[in-house]
Amino acid sequence: MRVLRSQIFWQVAAVGLLIWLGYILAQNIEANLAKSNIVLSFDFLSAQAGFDISESLLSVSATSSYGAVILAGVINTLVLAVCCIVGATIIGVMMGIMRSGGHYLGERIAGLYIEITRNLPKLLILLALYLAMVTTLPVVRESWSVFGLIEISNRAVYFPIVEQGFGLWWLWAMIAVWPIAICVLGKVARRIQDKTGIRYPVIWPVTMCVLILIAGPAMIGLIDYQISWPVLKGFDFAGGGRISVQFVVLVLALSIYHGGQVAELVRGAIASVPVGQFEAAKASGLSFAQMTRLVILPQAIRAAVPSMGNQYLNITKNTSIALAVGYSDLVSVMTTSINQTFRPIELMTVSMCVYLGICLIVSWLVNIYNARVIAVRA
């Protein structure tokens, strides 16, 4: 009881000290700003921004407010972070398996990749890829066509999209149902397997059903998908959707760079699996792919989850290098806004709060998964 009281006392004292230091810091900042006749205010967020951003999922323009433009930058940052996390995970897991697979050539290729990516600055990789794509890909008028559906140039990748209407809402609804159905039916399949030992596939049947629900109504005329196709007009394509070269380069660069670090985490996690698990899997007649998917990876990923969470946080924060290639992420929008409004403290505060919130959410999700994995392992 005495030890518990002592712990509570020191924790309360530490929190009180932090609050006091924060108060002193705020008073110091306020006094210095008052000397310079600067008043903190966020009223400028509702004012007209006067500048546009290169690409956004939100419909913003030069007449939009600073708040709307900053929100568009936040969404761009989130989309970029998610794509880079997925890319780095896929590359890292593949290279980690190759590094530990026992195949001579595969181990050497994976080892070379890991050493190169771990010892090169991410900004150098980004600029090298950007220069290579800009100089190698053709100009818009000479774009590469992929089956007449996708156009690739040194400016962007153009593709057809479904326009506004009931068809678009139905498409998004089916995309939202897909992961929910996989999770629900996956739990049901696991319960059946625990009781009967019979394993039922889930992902492919659910995916096929969703594809049928998307294409079926259109084939019988119940839903009309209004497709917008990219058409060359003047110096650029009109209609359809586009993904800028800057976005593609950022996803590739950060995925490749962090993929090497994730690969080392996966290799270490695989090395932590007891040798007896490998021998038992081989004795059961499992192939290398089956042994990796059913025996090794489920145990290795559990050991790698905490470290993978740190990598995901690093990826989220490293999206700020998008400024180097002109992609309109949160930092790029913040920099332009500071140059126009001369409100660096307010804008930096907003940016720090956004990055802090994103990273806390990522950490929270990783911790939830880690707690679930630990519970299963226990």
Side-chain angles (χ1 to χ4, degrees):
M1 189 65 179
R2 182 177 299 176
V3 175
L4 179 60
R5 289 179 179 176
S6 176
Q7 292 177 349
I8 294 175
F9 170 78
W10 287 113
Q11 290 176 10
V12 172
V15 172
L17 178 62
L18 290 175
I19 293 175
W20 179 74
L21 290 175
Y23 175 76
I24 295 298
L25 179 62
Q27 290 289 100
N28 188 23
I29 292 175
E30 184 179 1
N32 291 330
L33 291 176
K35 292 179 181 178
S36 303
N37 295 323
I38 299 176
V39 179
L40 293 180
S41 174
F42 292 89
D43 295 340
F44 70 93
L45 292 176
S46 59
Q48 181 175 320
F51 68 93
D52 198 2
I53 60 179
S54 58
E55 60 183 298
S56 172
L57 294 176
L58 290 182
S59 179
V60 294
S61 63
T63 59
S64 301
S65 64
Y66 282 103
V69 175
I70 291 174
L71 179 59
V74 172
I75 294 176
N76 284 351
T77 297
L78 285 172
V79 173
L80 178 60
V82 171
C83 293
C84 292
I85 286 174
V86 173
T89 302
I90 294 174
I91 294 175
V93 171
M94 291 178 58
M95 287 297 171
I97 293 173
M98 288 177 59
R99 191 75 173 88
S100 308
H103 189 274
Y104 180 83
L105 182 60
E107 286 187 356
R108 298 303 180 275
I109 293 175
L112 179 63
Y113 164 79
I114 292 171
E115 290 303 320
I116 291 176
T117 54
R118 290 179 65 195
N119 291 284
L120 286 178
K122 61 179 104 33
L123 186 58
L124 178 61
I125 297 176
L126 173 64
L127 295 178
L129 286 175
Y130 182 65
L131 180 62
M133 293 190 71
V134 169
T135 56
T136 302
L137 294 177
V139 296
V140 174
R141 288 181 173 274
E142 301 174 358
S143 61
W144 295 339
S145 179
V146 181
F147 303 112
L149 299 175
I150 301 174
E151 302 290 337
I152 302 175
S153 72
N154 61 358
R155 182 179 297 179
V157 178
Y158 307 89
F159 51 89
I161 60 172
V162 179
E163 291 185 322
Q164 293 289 340
F166 180 73
L168 179 62
W169 290 109
W170 178 256
L171 179 63
W172 281 115
M174 291 299 99
I175 293 175
V177 165
W178 179 67
I180 297 174
I182 288 178
C183 292
V184 173
L185 294 179
K187 291 182 179 180
V188 174
R190 282 193 294 269
R191 291 179 181 176
I192 295 176
Q193 184 179 3
D194 293 338
K195 292 180 179 179
T196 64
I198 302 175
R199 179 172 182 167
Y200 290 99
V202 174
I203 296 179
W204 288 114
V206 171
T207 303
M208 292 302 299
C209 289
V210 170
L211 291 176
I212 291 173
L213 289 174
I214 291 175
M219 295 177 65
I220 61 178
L222 293 178
I223 296 178
D224 181 21
Y225 292 111
Q226 300 177 4
I227 309 298
S228 174
W229 297 86
V231 179
L232 182 61
K233 292 184 178 180
F235 296 100
D236 200 0
F237 281 88
R242 67 180 62 194
I243 299 176
S244 67
V245 169
Q246 290 87 345
F247 181 83
V248 175
V249 167
L250 281 164
V251 172
L252 288 176
L254 290 177
S255 298
I256 291 172
Y257 175 79
H258 288 281
Q261 302 181 33
V262 171
E264 272 297 275
L265 297 179
V266 174
R267 183 201 61 79
I270 292 176
S272 69
V273 177
V275 179
Q277 297 289 326
F278 292 87
E279 296 175 349
K282 292 179 181 178
S284 299
L286 297 178
S287 64
F288 177 78
Q290 293 174 328
M291 177 181 67
T292 302
R293 181 171 60 90
L294 301 175
V295 180
I296 306 305
L297 272 187
Q299 301 180 68
I301 294 301
R302 293 171 184 172
V305 166
S307 300
M308 293 280 279
N310 292 333
Q311 284 300 318
Y312 292 162
L313 294 178
N314 289 334
I315 292 173
T316 303
K317 291 179 289 186
N318 286 337
T319 56
S320 59
I321 67 173
L323 184 65
V325 292
Y327 179 72
S328 298
D329 72 324
L330 176 58
V331 174
S332 176
V333 172
M334 179 197 69
T335 303
T336 305
S337 300
I338 289 175
N339 293 333
Q340 293 190 178
T341 62
F342 303 103
R343 294 284 184 176
I345 297 178
E346 293 91 334
L347 285 165
M348 288 183 181
T349 301
V350 170
S351 300
M352 286 191 293
C353 290
V354 169
Y355 274 110
L356 179 61
I358 294 174
C359 291
L360 287 176
I361 291 173
V362 172
S363 179
W364 175 65
L365 293 175
V366 172
N367 288 336
I368 289 177
Y369 181 73
N370 189 41
R372 182 179 177 184
V373 167
I374 292 175
V376 171
R377 184 168 53 192

